[in-house]
Amino acid sequence: MPEVKEDVSVKEYFEEIVPKIFEEEMSKLSVTGMEGTAFTVEFDVEGQSYGMTIKDAKELSITEGSLDSPMLKVKLSEDAWRKAVTGKMEGATDMFTDMGQMASRKRYDTLAAAKGTMDLELSMPDGSTERISVTFNGAESPRVIFKTALEDWAKISSGEMPGPTAFMQGKLKIDGDMGFAMSLGNLMT
């Protein structure tokens, strides 16, 4: 993957680096069963919006500004975004942006059916907290808050630790609509 510099601009990242990451990641995958799909995600980095549309898990387009009805809308501070893209918050957004994970029909169908908002509160190694909000298919409610340490979230995102296991071990705290939280379980296994 291309190295992302500390001073990368939001525009440069989405318009120049994301297409390179997409091309590199997709060259490693054999994608089947994604015909007729269009995964859409909008990133709102403190008022700077960029949309990504991935058709058939093969073709990427980047749009400056908002998308009409994105499947996911990821809202985060510029500090959290910068940490995520430069590797200081590894795994923070992978569950919703990793090309290999997105090239799964089961995962696509789960994302397409999800309706609600997940607020993620990540405890950082330095004691601070970073917040990321993910709205599924434009639905502000139901709403759930997941609270966990960054290192545990990275394990959940990668599938190394299933979300239900993290919850049962007390490594993932959940506040809000438990039914919605459980519906997101397929994204965390």
Side-chain angles (χ1 to χ4, degrees):
M1 259 192 337
E3 183 179 330
V4 180
K5 298 179 200 164
E6 287 286 327
D7 63 347
V8 67
S9 71
V10 174
K11 180 179 181 73
E12 177 186 7
Y13 179 76
F14 283 102
E15 292 182 1
E16 297 175 26
I17 297 173
V18 168
K20 290 177 186 172
I21 293 171
F22 180 80
E23 186 177 313
E24 185 176 314
E25 289 297 310
M26 296 314 289
S27 72
K28 299 175 191 173
L29 298 174
S30 174
V31 178
T32 59
M34 295 298 289
E35 296 79 15
T37 64
F39 172 70
T40 55
V41 59
E42 178 183 319
F43 289 88
D44 180 341
V45 182
E46 287 189 19
Q48 298 177 76
S49 294
Y50 278 86
M52 293 176 18
T53 301
I54 302 171
K55 291 184 181 174
D56 303 327
K58 295 178 181 175
E59 181 184 321
L60 171 71
S61 63
I62 304 288
T63 306
E64 185 173 7
S66 299
L67 294 176
D68 289 333
S69 305
M71 290 174 72
L72 299 178
K73 184 171 184 176
V74 180
K75 188 173 183 175
L76 65 170
S77 70
E78 186 168 340
D79 183 57
W81 169 81
R82 192 166 304 283
K83 286 176 183 173
V85 302
T86 59
K88 292 185 176 86
M89 219 164 75
E90 194 170 333
T93 60
D94 292 359
M95 183 180 293
F96 311 107
T97 60
D98 180 83
M99 304 307 169
Q101 291 185 44
M102 292 298 103
S104 157
R105 185 59 186 238
K106 179 181 176 185
R107 185 173 203 73
Y108 174 85
D109 290 342
T110 299
L111 289 171
K115 295 201 180 344
T117 298
M118 178 189 81
D119 294 311
L120 178 59
E121 294 184 7
L122 296 173
S123 301
M124 302 299 291
D126 67 3
S128 65
T129 301
E130 292 291 351
R131 290 173 177 79
I132 300 170
S133 180
V134 181
T135 300
F136 296 84
N137 297 297
E140 291 294 323
S141 65
R143 195 169 205 114
V144 67
I145 302 170
F146 290 160
K147 299 176 184 179
T148 188
L150 174 63
E151 68 182 70
D152 291 328
W153 185 252
K155 291 176 185 174
I156 294 166
S157 292
S158 71
E160 183 181 334
M161 179 183 353
T165 301
F167 178 74
M168 297 300 277
Q169 292 177 353
K171 294 180 178 188
L172 174 64
K173 307 237 186 290
I174 303 173
D175 292 326
D177 190 294
M178 290 303 285
F180 177 57
M182 289 171 48
S183 76
L184 299 176
N186 285 339
L187 299 174
M188 296 184 221
T189 56

